[in-house]
Amino acid sequence: MAAALQTAAALMASSNLVVNSERFRFGSLLRSPAGRKGSVLVVKSDGRHSVSFNAGLRGGHLITNAVAAKSEASAKSTDSKPGHEVLLFEALREGLEEEMDRDPRVCIMGEDVGHYGGSYKVTKGLAEKYGDLRVLDTPIAENSFTGMGIGAAMMGLRPVVEGMNMGFLLLAFNQISNNCGMLHYTSGGQFTIPIVIRGPGGVGRQLGAEHSQRLESYFQSIPGLQMVACSTPYNAKGLMKAAIRSENPVVLFEHVLLYNLKERIPDEDYICCLEEAEMVRPGEQVTILTYSRMRYHVMQAAKTLVNKGYDPEVIDIRSLKPFDLYRIGNSVKKTHRVLIVEECMRTGGIGASLRAAIIDNFWDYLDAPVMCLSSQDVPTPYAGTLEDWTVVQPAQIVAAVEQLCQ
Amino acid sequence: MSISLFMSISLATYPSIGHQTKANKERQSEKPPLDLSSFLPHLLDLFSLLHSTMGLWFVRSRLAHHLGQKMASLGALQRRSWPSVSFLQLWNPLPSELVGGFSSNPINRWSDQRFASVKAESAAPVDDRCRYQVMDFPGGKVMFIPEMRFLAESPGERISCYRVLDDDGQTISGSSFQEVSKEIALKMYGDMVTLQVMDTIFYEAQRQGRISFYVTSIGEEAINVASAAALTIDDIVFPQYREPGVLLWRGFTLQEFANQCFGNKSDYGKGRQMPIHYGSNRLNYFTVSSPIATQIPHAVGAAYSLKMDKKHACAVTYFGDGGTSEGDFHAALNFAAVMEVPVIFFCRNNGWAISTPTTEQFRSDGAVIRGQAYGLRSIRVDGNDALAVYSAVHEAREMAIRESRPILVEALTYRVGHHSTSDDSTKYRPVDEIEHWRTARDPVSRYRKWIERNGWWCDDAESELRSNVRKELLHAIQAAEKMDKPPLAELFTDVYDQVPSNLHEQERLLRETIKQHPGDYPPEVPV
């Protein structure tokens, strides 16, 4: 675990970051018109053209591309190290495959998850290996395939339901809230629903409002649901495996822009705790709480902050429900200052809940008001600049920390 | 050809034709509020079109189309204040002879010419040339035809209804049905009577304020019990809320029913659900969820699981006629057909979804016809005929499991009781209609005549059964009422597999509050 953290940290500190992220960003741009059919494999191969196109579309002053893949040089240098290198979507796939090997009750269902391999290739090759029944392509009806998953789960299977895009899961909201979250309770514990609902979400690269949903806040108040957001290949795999093994319904948030993130992960079996926050960068001055893609915006900002002489502590909260108030509390007690950075909606978002929890629990330890940087309360616009202004940028994070530490 | 085509177009766009119910006719006497502005545009349309060169048939069909849409939206807004029939009479500015007499209309001759080529082609005999006009299309070969032929909105005749017992409880000669042993037949009758008694007494208990809510199954006893009798305990039931008879058949005791309705500590649901929302893991009866039709995709998921495990069982889900309007119903039928899973969809078409009659619920011939559209084998059955329900479900189950396929069963019946204790159905349907179904069409007495004719039943047995059930139930209710409610800790369990820290914290705070303000909390709840 610690090794992986270091790897992640090294990744962020890499000088190749900007170049790589430009590559990634352009790939997404090209991909965006295709929308649902977009493939991460295509993304990679498009990288070469990125520089000119990219510059034309967006102002250079915005550092929006804090997602990175390792350069070839660094990949070579780690060849001798233990573990293996994977992209995030491959890590998710590994997690699925290992759990399907381990437990015959695990099955996958959703649109185009079969031989097509899923829109982001997370289930690639699994239909060939486990058959069409265990990796089930369903007709299009989010509410009903989620309901089907719930029915199967109550019968003892452990379905992993893929929402092709998290935004489409709003169509399944009734099943998720009324049935998935409640039946265990209303049945008096007679029926359990060990289901995993997962899929790509978050603000991508110009995918428009419906494909750029920040749904964490919608789901957070549904009793009975557990929610985690992955952010690195290591925790993606670990959380996927833990979610499948959990007796509770778990919503696993993946981020469209993180699927191509590369990292060296252990060869051996491991899982991540579903309720645990992850220390990304220990520090003394201020606690920055974040998750999913914003972790990389925070790390961009952290680099600047360190250069300016600040020492921020960065925690990826990972568990969106329940919050890991133990680790978060320890950090607050140390730094006495908290900044929350999220992609979620400002009103009623994860950050709002987290801020309330911190004020409730750690008021006496706070030396400054808890700050929260969230996305604007607007549907995510399509145009690149508008989209950039919708989500939190590293410069805002730097400014917020400077204000907090005055 | 052209004439029949026009006729079918204009008929197709009059949604009300052929759907005049008793209720609808009654409503015609009510004067609808006339909103001139809403159909003024149609009149303008009419005039402009009359002066155009398009021809009267087009005017008519287009108008009718507009009206169809208008009526649909009106229907949604003010269902009962706008009877569709009188609406048609109101707007129709055409001389009545034109409505039925197209042939005498000179404009029609024009339209004959307009479609002359179509007619000529369709009149040609089917020759070899036509036989070659076949396209391979996913799903099979599709024949090309030169005629422009719209599928009719409904088959000319309504789907017939399978029945074994006539109104007098005699088996109809020549009817094919599944033999029922004396033992099963008597258990079926016993459970139907028990269900009746249970409904009567629980309903009364609700009226006395002892429970908050209740839903009766009166009129649907045969559906409840006979369908359950045709299944095995391994078949997985996803009920709505009007099938407690299935649970009864499977061995749920009157005490267990009472415990649930009173939400005491012995209730399997730990006092967390409204009365009637039963659930029993032991009896493969999944806990009822209130929103309509959400259980239908669950059944498909369960059937998928059964198929995967190669079990000799099927999933069965129940829902009403109202439930067939939900998207979940349509998607679930489609899913099941595509995935070829063993599931029985059982629609209790009882005529009413709270106050909405089936004529305002759908325009198809009930639910059964939809099975075919989704590629399901389907049957319509007399829901008040226990033997017909038993036989149909028995056969449906055999096919579902043997061939791993979904089957749709639509039982025609009537919701004799109110929708629930929160409803008074005499406000929206005639009392004599209810009475007719409660007496002349009562499934329990019809079935009783059959077992009596077999020499299996008599008046003495009847009164003994009713009195025993009554005694047992009253005792069960007393016991259930006296029993403690679930303890406070149960408020926080089963949200997750283990109580998480935030819920522990909430529980602690609640206990503290109760300790500080004991007078504000009910004393009988164990803290």
Side-chain angles (χ1 to χ4, degrees):
Chain A
M1 172 81 189
L5 285 179
Q6 284 168 1
T7 318
L11 191 81
M12 289 306 101
S14 158
S15 58
N16 293 317
L17 187 66
V18 175
V19 177
N20 281 321
S21 57
E22 291 283 343
R23 251 173 73 169
F24 190 87
R25 175 173 155 194
F26 179 63
S28 303
L29 269 174
L30 267 199
R31 179 162 52 92
S32 55
R36 289 160 66 143
K37 298 288 179 199
S39 149
V40 279
L41 297 175
V42 177
V43 175
K44 275 187 76 181
S45 60
D46 288 337
R48 226 156 46 84
H49 309 279
S50 67
V51 179
S52 58
F53 202 77
N54 194 19
L57 262 181
R58 300 221 177 154
H61 60 284
L62 285 168
I63 312 162
T64 56
N65 316 293
V67 283
K70 279 194 171 178
S71 68
E72 277 174 27
S74 65
K76 267 179 201 160
S77 71
T78 55
D79 271 352
S80 55
K81 291 182 184 170
H84 58 289
E85 218 167 43
V86 288
L87 300 179
L88 189 142
F89 80 90
E90 294 168 331
L92 290 166
R93 197 196 150 285
E94 271 189 24
L96 274 170
E97 188 174 3
E98 286 177 19
E99 290 307 297
M100 290 182 85
D101 276 339
R102 180 177 168 271
D103 184 347
R105 297 172 301 169
V106 179
C107 57
I108 298 171
M109 51 184 76
E111 297 155 5
D112 302 312
V113 294
H115 294 276
Y116 187 71
S119 288
Y120 290 87
K121 301 299 164 208
V122 173
T123 56
K124 191 176 166 223
L126 297 179
E128 285 80 357
K129 185 170 177 188
Y130 299 105
D132 291 341
L133 202 56
R134 263 185 96 185
V135 185
L136 186 73
D137 270 330
T138 70
I140 301 173
E142 287 78 2
N143 201 42
S144 291
F145 68 67
T146 308
M148 210 188 132
I150 293 167
M154 289 196 290
M155 289 287 290
L157 293 182
R158 306 184 87 84
V160 180
V161 171
E162 173 173 306
M164 185 178 276
N165 181 290
M166 274 288 173
F168 305 154
L169 287 184
L170 287 179
L171 290 160
F173 203 78
N174 182 53
Q175 285 289 350
I176 294 172
S177 56
N178 259 321
N179 300 101
C180 190
M182 290 189 200
L183 272 169
H184 180 232
Y185 188 75
T186 57
S187 72
Q190 291 185 88
F191 301 105
T192 56
I193 305 164
I195 194 174
V196 180
I197 297 167
R198 52 152 291 268
V203 178
R205 281 278 166 261
Q206 293 194 262
L207 299 175
E210 301 92 339
H211 281 84
S212 312
Q213 300 268 20
R214 301 151 259 154
L215 293 184
E216 304 91 282
S217 58
Y218 291 53
F219 291 112
Q220 71 171 334
S221 51
I222 300 174
L225 278 197
Q226 207 162 346
M227 307 199 306
V228 288
C230 62
S231 54
T232 65
Y234 178 86
N235 68 31
K237 181 177 175 182
L239 291 172
M240 170 73 92
K241 286 163 70 82
I244 293 171
R245 293 183 197 183
S246 167
E247 290 302 319
N248 300 315
V250 180
V251 182
L252 170 60
F253 290 92
E254 298 156 15
H255 198 289
V256 277
L257 291 188
L258 299 185
Y259 280 122
N260 270 6
L261 205 65
K262 199 186 275 182
E263 188 185 12
R264 180 165 288 271
I265 63 172
D267 291 329
E268 59 271 19
D269 185 41
Y270 70 92
I271 59 167
C272 295
C273 176
L274 290 176
E275 292 93 13
E276 216 170 77
E278 179 181 322
M279 178 65 75
V280 182
R281 183 194 187 279
E284 297 295 329
Q285 260 177 320
V286 56
T287 299
I288 306 180
L289 302 173
T290 187
Y291 63 93
S292 191
R293 183 199 169 206
M294 281 299 132
R295 167 172 175 163
Y296 299 100
H297 277 204
V298 168
M299 289 311 290
Q300 283 265 328
K303 225 170 98 184
T304 313
L305 286 167
V306 170
N307 288 341
K308 289 187 172 194
Y310 293 97
D311 183 18
E313 177 149 302
V314 179
I315 292 177
D316 181 340
I317 63 169
R318 242 169 42 185
S319 173
L320 308 186
K321 187 185 181 184
F323 296 130
D324 180 1
L325 288 181
Y326 175 74
R327 278 169 189 78
I328 292 169
N330 282 348
S331 180
V332 175
K333 288 171 190 170
K334 179 169 69 176
T335 65
H336 311 295
R337 284 176 174 80
V338 180
L339 169 66
I340 300 166
V341 182
E342 62 169 356
E343 199 179 74
C344 200
M345 310 300 282
R346 184 161 305 186
T347 302
I350 295 291
S353 300
L354 186 54
R355 171 147 65 177
I358 290 167
I359 290 171
D360 279 354
N361 290 281
F362 311 111
W363 175 257
D364 290 344
Y365 299 95
L366 291 171
D367 286 347
V370 178
M371 281 184 79
C372 181
L373 296 175
S374 316
S375 292
Q376 316 294 351
D377 281 341
V378 297
T380 314
Y382 167 75
T385 45
L386 297 180
E387 188 180 74
D388 285 341
W389 295 333
T390 304
V391 298
V392 180
Q393 300 300 335
Q396 290 171 265
I397 302 168
V398 172
V401 168
E402 285 175 332
Q403 192 189 326
L404 264 177
C405 295
Q406 265 174 7
Chain B
M1 177 269 158
S2 57
I3 291 172
S4 62
L5 175 66
F6 302 147
M7 292 289 280
S8 71
I9 288 176
S10 42
L11 279 178
T13 46
Y14 290 84
S16 65
I17 287 176
H19 287 279
Q20 289 186 41
T21 59
K22 195 174 174 185
N24 245 336
K25 281 176 190 161
E26 279 178 4
R27 284 181 210 136
Q28 284 174 45
S29 56
E30 300 168 25
K31 290 285 174 227
L34 195 60
D35 181 8
L36 272 176
S37 65
S38 72
F39 63 82
L40 191 62
H42 296 305
L43 289 173
L44 292 175
D45 266 0
L46 174 70
F47 290 128
S48 63
L49 282 165
L50 274 172
H51 286 94
S52 75
T53 56
M54 296 305 283
L56 180 60
W57 70 271
F58 187 68
V59 175
R60 287 184 45 75
S61 60
R62 178 156 171 208
L63 257 173
H65 175 68
H66 271 287
L67 275 170
Q69 286 182 333
K70 198 73 204 172
M71 280 157 58
S73 60
L74 277 170
L77 288 172
Q78 25 177 223
R79 209 163 44 212
R80 262 168 300 289
S81 61
W82 199 272
S84 47
V85 177
S86 58
F87 185 68
L88 274 177
Q89 288 161 348
L90 262 175
W91 75 267
N92 193 348
L94 294 170
S96 60
E97 69 266 19
L98 288 187
V99 177
F102 269 107
S103 55
S104 63
N105 183 355
I107 298 170
N108 236 33
R109 269 182 257 128
W110 171 85
S111 55
D112 277 355
Q113 289 167 5
R114 170 79 173 75
F115 279 85
S117 60
V118 176
K119 190 176 182 182
E121 246 183 277
S122 68
V126 179
D127 57 18
D128 285 347
R129 188 167 46 95
C130 276
R131 275 189 218 126
Y132 290 115
Q133 295 179 335
V134 164
M135 175 172 57
D136 262 325
F137 199 77
K141 286 193 177 4
V142 177
M143 174 106 69
F144 287 117
I145 54 164
E147 302 162 302
M148 180 162 60
R149 195 194 293 160
F150 289 81
L151 267 185
E153 63 282 3
S154 63
E157 234 171 81
R158 294 195 71 178
I159 305 289
S160 47
C161 182
Y162 168 63
R163 178 183 238 201
V164 177
L165 293 178
D166 65 14
D167 288 342
D168 286 327
Q170 296 221 42
T171 49
I172 297 163
S173 66
S175 59
S176 59
F177 64 96
Q178 187 65 34
E179 290 293 334
V180 185
S181 70
K182 180 185 174 188
E183 187 196 357
I184 297 291
L186 287 183
K187 176 165 162 51
M188 277 167 65
Y189 184 70
D191 281 0
M192 279 157 73
V193 169
T194 305
L195 184 56
Q196 263 187 344
V197 174
M198 205 166 87
D199 276 347
T200 313
I201 293 179
F202 276 131
Y203 187 82
E204 205 47 49
Q206 193 279 339
R207 282 296 180 248
Q208 293 168 4
R210 294 159 83 176
I211 55 177
S212 68
F213 176 84
Y214 194 71
V215 167
T216 67
S217 308
I218 302 166
E220 298 176 43
E221 295 89 348
I223 286 173
N224 267 258
V225 174
S227 67
L231 302 170
T232 73
I233 190 76
D234 293 331
D235 299 322
I236 314 294
V237 178
F238 289 84
Q240 202 178 323
Y241 41 67
R242 222 178 291 283
E243 302 89 13
V246 178
L247 205 43
L248 189 65
W249 176 268
R250 294 190 164 202
F252 212 59
T253 65
L254 295 183
Q255 189 63 59
E256 288 172 313
F257 280 111
N259 290 342
Q260 198 281 334
C261 288
F262 282 86
N264 63 30
K265 70 174 188 188
S266 291
D267 165 27
Y268 300 124
K270 302 183 185 172
R272 292 165 183 163
Q273 258 294 15
M274 295 168 86
I276 220 83
H277 290 57
Y278 309 110
S280 170
N281 196 2
R282 173 174 57 97
L283 300 176
N284 279 331
Y285 188 94
F286 282 70
T287 302
V288 176
S289 186
S290 295
I292 297 299
T294 59
Q295 76 279 11
I296 310 179
H298 296 173
V300 180
Y304 160 78
S305 156
L306 292 171
K307 181 180 181 178
M308 202 182 257
D309 293 345
K310 298 189 174 66
K311 290 218 173 114
H312 190 78
C314 65
V316 187
T317 180
Y318 295 84
F319 45 90
D321 41 278
T324 67
S325 295
E326 288 279 7
D328 269 345
F329 163 78
H330 296 270
L333 257 63
N334 184 45
F335 275 38
V338 170
M339 289 158 197
E340 296 168 357
V341 290
V343 54
I344 299 173
F345 299 103
F346 196 111
C347 174
R348 299 175 291 95
N349 183 347
N350 65 17
W352 294 91
I354 305 190
S355 75
T356 307
T358 48
T359 47
E360 290 173 22
Q361 193 69 247
F362 40 65
R363 280 288 138 83
S364 63
D365 181 10
V368 67
I369 191 75
R370 301 186 199 175
Q372 198 168 41
Y374 289 113
L376 265 70
R377 205 171 283 170
S378 334
I379 189 168
R380 171 173 278 169
V381 55
D382 180 352
N384 289 18
D385 175 350
L387 285 189
V389 172
Y390 179 83
S391 303
V393 173
H394 188 276
E395 186 55 31
R397 178 181 184 275
E398 289 293 307
M399 289 190 294
I401 297 171
R402 189 178 59 231
E403 302 171 33
S404 190
R405 63 161 68 238
I407 312 275
L408 172 65
V409 178
E410 181 192 35
L412 300 186
T413 184
Y414 189 81
R415 194 196 76 213
V416 171
H418 305 305
H419 163 69
S420 72
T421 47
S422 311
D423 172 45
D424 174 7
S425 63
T426 60
K427 292 264 163 62
Y428 51 81
R429 53 183 195 177
V431 174
D432 57 351
E433 177 184 299
I434 304 173
E435 271 307 293
H436 173 69
W437 282 90
R438 198 178 65 78
T439 52
R441 292 190 178 275
D442 175 31
V444 183
S445 50
R446 199 202 306 185
Y447 182 69
R448 180 184 169 180
K449 284 176 194 155
W450 180 71
I451 54 171
E452 277 180 342
R453 199 166 278 122
N454 288 345
W456 295 341
W457 199 247
C458 61
D459 286 350
D460 287 349
E462 177 81 13
S463 50
E464 191 189 338
L465 170 67
R466 286 190 183 268
S467 134
N468 283 348
V469 172
R470 205 182 155 76
K471 263 187 242 162
E472 193 189 334
L473 188 59
L474 288 174
H475 181 263
I477 286 179
Q478 279 172 357
E481 208 165 17
K482 271 188 218 147
M483 201 177 290
D484 278 347
K485 297 295 177 206
L488 185 142
E490 294 287 18
L491 181 61
F492 298 97
T493 57
D494 302 324
V495 181
Y496 298 94
D497 58 339
Q498 287 161 352
V499 180
S501 58
N502 58 333
L503 290 185
H504 267 310
E505 175 67 7
Q506 289 171 31
E507 184 183 344
R508 189 185 61 77
L509 287 172
L510 181 60
R511 279 182 200 283
E512 256 172 39
T513 313
I514 294 174
K515 210 177 280 176
Q516 283 161 13
H517 310 279
D520 294 334
Y521 287 87
E524 71 268 24
V525 178
V527 176

